[in-house]
Amino acid sequence: MSNVTIRDIRVILTEPDDIRLVIVKIDTSEPELYGIGCATFTQRPSTVKAAVEDYLAPFLIGRDVADIEDIWQSSYVSSYWRNGPVLNNALSGVDQALWDIKGKMANMPVYDLLGGKARDAAGVYVHASGSDVVAIEDQIHAFIEQGFHNVRVQMETPGLTSNYGAGKGSSRADENSGKPAEYLGPRWVTNRVREFDPNKRYAHPGGIFEPKPYIRNALNLFDHVRNKVGWDFEMLHDVHERIPPILGVKFAKDVEQFDLFFLEDLFSPEDNEYFRMVREQCATPIAMGELYNSPHEMIPMVKDRLIDFMRVHISQIGGITPAKKLAALCEAFNVRTAWHGPGDTSPVGHAANLAIDLNVWNFGIQEYAIFKDRTKEVFPGCPEVHDGHMWSNDKPGLGIDLDEELAAKYPFKEREFGGAWDTPRRADGTMVKP
Ligand code: GCO
Ligand code: MG
């Protein structure tokens, strides 16, 4: 018991980097003492705000801030139905803010509350992408010069209009290289690409994605990068659950020769069982989990050693309290952590990732989306990245703040289709998973 109680719980919405972020702020009975937490579910932000303000705030105001475990457990079941992304993000905002407060009260950084540092800093990976192999090769060289050692590579597929993580558009690829795109699939797909106008026939533009050309193009990219940049850096790749499972099994075998640090989201969570086939056939390191929300999805993957890297998005599972337990479960099976850290993990979420990265023994790697300066201004204390690592500022709590006045200068913009994720499609019009 601390005799410090929750006075108010508020949600702050801001998008300094053109990505909608959701932050929860808890004020306490001590006028100067507050905490902040990440509750960012960028595709459905207003639903999280409602979940916090309409349901968690009335449930929690007046509670002792010291009782994080009890607050988490009782909030988790206070909706009876649980484990969805909206309620988990709401819970994460509260949970991280309470860890921040506990750290400030103890005058310790959160990694110290968790048991202290197991390493000096967290190794990060950054993103290289583009429309041709040479542009990607150049980016990798530049990253290596800046001290990075781990780079995720994603490339547009010539002739197609959609690929995860590499922008859109064969048309752009054509313009850039000045050459006709070399499309590696059947002619009828090429014709479809030319005719494709997503706004005419479908709402929610996404472009055309075909698995086999994507796979051939990705293998070609890895081969080029290993030949030109060499083997003295770690290469990563994200499939983003787009290809049919049996092609995924083959892809995992085909990339084994390129010695990836990991291959990510080879299947959808709905297809978790296919990972067994991959395990039986090759030793490509597998990363999975950014789409997991529920322990039911995670536990079998860990206990059966079907993955090597747990990629959970900490706010999607409810914050630091469940994440530290998941990390401990993973440690027992020697599965490493690789917490999701794209641009739609807010800087507060990155600070929470970092606290666990520094503490757990079984840390694998940390994804880092390079923040623009104006985001760092909105979030003073945003973790610093240099020498290929993310470093804590060692301040009490999460070590990060939110400048509310500045945040208010970047309100959410109007978005088409409510800001829905684009819908990629096969050439015949069939929807493809994101
Ligand atoms: C990754 C990702 C993300 C997601 C995004 C969804 O970085 O590994 O897959 O970029 O697509 O977070 O909102
Ligand atoms: Mg991913």
Side-chain angles (χ1 to χ4, degrees), residues 15 35 57 159 162 176 209 280 286 309 320 326 376 410 418 426:
E15 57 166 314
S162 171
N176 290 350
F209 174 87
E280 283 158 10
I286 297 295
F309 295 92
I320 292 173
L326 178 61
K376 293 187 191 162
Y410 304 102
R426 297 288 297 263

Side-chain angles (χ1 to χ4, degrees), residues 42-43 125 127 152 164-165 238 240 264-265 290-291 311 313 340-345 367 421 434:
T42 200
Q43 288 83 359
Y125 75 86
H127 303 158
R152 186 187 82 175
Y164 167 74
D238 189 350
H240 222 256
E264 177 184 348
D265 283 16
E290 73 182 50
L291 283 162
R311 283 278 291 146
H313 187 114
H340 196 223
D344 53 303
T345 297
E367 180 183 26
W421 189 258

Side-chain angles (χ1 to χ4, degrees), residues 193-304:
V193 172
R194 279 201 208 99
E195 288 160 13
F196 187 73
D197 179 353
N199 296 314
K200 247 190 228 156
R201 178 143 173 226
Y202 313 104
H204 321 132
I208 291 184
F209 174 87
E210 282 289 321
K212 285 200 170 168
Y214 152 74
I215 288 172
R216 280 197 292 275
N217 188 58
L219 292 171
N220 183 45
L221 169 67
F222 304 153
D223 190 44
H224 176 92
V225 168
R226 282 305 187 206
N227 279 321
K228 298 287 178 179
V229 185
W231 298 82
D232 193 20
F233 86 103
E234 295 285 3
M235 180 160 64
L236 302 86
H237 183 72
D238 189 350
V239 178
H240 222 256
E241 59 168 347
R242 282 203 176 178
I243 60 181
I246 194 63
L247 296 186
V249 176
K250 182 162 186 300
F251 188 47
K253 294 199 296 182
D254 290 344
V255 302
E256 196 176 20
Q257 60 179 312
F258 300 115
D259 194 23
L260 295 188
F261 184 83
F262 68 49
L263 181 64
E264 177 184 348
D265 283 16
L266 187 55
F267 309 123
S268 304
E270 293 87 338
D271 292 325
N272 268 345
E273 283 292 308
Y274 277 94
F275 282 109
R276 283 183 211 282
M277 287 187 201
V278 173
R279 282 312 216 209
E280 283 158 10
Q281 299 190 44
C282 69
T284 293
I286 297 295
M288 180 66 187
E290 73 182 50
L291 283 162
Y292 293 164
N293 297 291
S294 162
H296 313 307
E297 297 168 298
M298 303 169 223
I299 293 169
M301 307 305 289
V302 179
K303 83 169 170 50
D304 292 346

Side-chain angles (χ1 to χ4, degrees), residues 23-50:
I23 306 298
V24 169
K25 185 162 186 174
I26 296 187
D27 293 309
T28 73
S29 51
E30 296 288 313
E32 302 293 309
L33 181 63
Y34 62 88
I36 53 177
C38 181
T40 300
F41 177 8
T42 200
Q43 288 83 359
R44 295 287 187 275
S46 61
T47 60
V48 178
K49 181 171 160 67

Side-chain angles (χ1 to χ4, degrees), residues 10-270:
R10 293 178 291 131
V11 175
I12 293 128
L13 306 175
T14 184
E15 57 166 314
D17 255 4
D18 304 317
I19 298 175
R20 294 180 291 190
L21 304 176
V22 183
I23 306 298
V24 169
K25 185 162 186 174
I26 296 187
D27 293 309
T28 73
S29 51
E30 296 288 313
E32 302 293 309
L33 181 63
Y34 62 88
I36 53 177
C38 181
T40 300
F41 177 8
T42 200
Q43 288 83 359
R44 295 287 187 275
S46 61
T47 60
V48 178
K49 181 171 160 67
V52 173
E53 292 181 347
D54 297 350
Y55 302 105
L56 289 179
F59 186 67
L60 296 174
I61 286 170
R63 291 289 313 262
D64 191 318
V65 295
D67 300 338
I68 299 179
E69 185 65 31
D70 185 69
I71 287 175
W72 194 90
Q73 298 290 355
S74 53
S75 300
Y76 176 60
V77 292
S78 68
S79 54
Y80 184 57
W81 278 283
R82 49 195 178 264
N83 289 319
V86 175
L87 299 183
N88 278 359
N89 268 289
L91 196 47
S92 164
V94 167
D95 179 77
Q96 293 186 7
L98 289 172
W99 279 96
D100 190 25
I101 290 169
K102 196 182 272 298
K104 288 173 178 170
M105 289 170 77
N107 200 24
M108 282 182 178
V110 171
Y111 66 75
D112 253 341
L113 294 177
L114 296 173
K117 274 187 183 176
R119 61 193 48 75
D120 299 334
V124 298
Y125 75 86
V126 283
H127 303 158
S129 62
S131 52
D132 68 78
V133 288
V134 178
I136 295 172
E137 175 196 330
D138 291 347
Q139 286 174 44
I140 300 171
H141 280 304
F143 279 134
I144 292 173
E145 282 211 348
Q146 292 163 39
F148 291 105
H149 185 64
N150 313 293
V151 186
R152 186 187 82 175
V153 298
Q154 308 287 137
M155 185 179 154
E156 288 177 24
T157 306
L160 298 181
T161 53
S162 171
N163 235 31
Y164 167 74
K168 284 198 196 92
S170 58
S171 50
R172 242 186 37 213
D174 294 353
E175 282 160 23
N176 290 350
S177 64
K179 285 185 268 164
E182 184 205 351
Y183 174 60
L184 307 159
R187 185 175 298 277
W188 73 274
V189 174
T190 318
N191 292 338
R192 273 293 279 145
V193 172
R194 279 201 208 99
E195 288 160 13
F196 187 73
D197 179 353
N199 296 314
K200 247 190 228 156
R201 178 143 173 226
Y202 313 104
H204 321 132
I208 291 184
F209 174 87
E210 282 289 321
K212 285 200 170 168
Y214 152 74
I215 288 172
R216 280 197 292 275
N217 188 58
L219 292 171
N220 183 45
L221 169 67
F222 304 153
D223 190 44
H224 176 92
V225 168
R226 282 305 187 206
N227 279 321
K228 298 287 178 179
V229 185
W231 298 82
D232 193 20
F233 86 103
E234 295 285 3
M235 180 160 64
L236 302 86
H237 183 72
D238 189 350
V239 178
H240 222 256
E241 59 168 347
R242 282 203 176 178
I243 60 181
I246 194 63
L247 296 186
V249 176
K250 182 162 186 300
F251 188 47
K253 294 199 296 182
D254 290 344
V255 302
E256 196 176 20
Q257 60 179 312
F258 300 115
D259 194 23
L260 295 188
F261 184 83
F262 68 49
L263 181 64
E264 177 184 348
D265 283 16
L266 187 55
F267 309 123
S268 304
E270 293 87 338

